[in-house]
Amino acid sequence: MNDESPICSAKGCRTAAVWVLAWNNPKIHTPERRKTWLACEEHREHLSAFLGVRNFLKDVVPLEEWERNSAADG
């Protein structure tokens, strides 16, 4: 991992991210808006559950796939 590698969004975690958790808060975001959290393998379930309980979680995608799709879109 280098200084530019994406890291997990879990508090205090410095592990390389391998997942993208796409979410939105319907009270403040338009339906098509997607915010993202990054997750390492260890924290994917915890972060997904946190967002899922609030009905914010929209998708969980491998980081490599998310980056490929983002590059193709833009």
Side-chain angles (χ1 to χ4, degrees):
M1 181 169 88
N2 63 41
D3 289 341
E4 304 211 7
S5 296
I7 61 167
C8 181
S9 298
K11 186 175 182 176
C13 186
R14 304 299 299 165
T15 304
V18 293
W19 295 97
V20 174
L21 287 66
W23 63 276
N24 84 4
N25 179 341
K27 291 182 181 179
I28 61 174
H29 301 127
T30 59
E32 66 279 352
R33 173 93 187 262
R34 291 294 180 267
K35 305 281 285 178
T36 58
W37 282 358
L38 302 177
C40 65
E41 199 63 54
E42 180 181 351
H43 291 112
R44 181 179 65 93
E45 286 298 322
H46 171 75
L47 294 173
S48 293
F50 180 89
L51 293 168
V53 164
R54 291 155 180 79
N55 293 319
F56 291 178
L57 186 62
K58 302 301 178 194
D59 205 4
V60 179
V61 180
L63 178 59
E64 288 181 4
E65 182 180 327
W66 184 270
E67 290 174 336
R68 272 195 312 272
N69 290 341
S70 293
D73 290 342

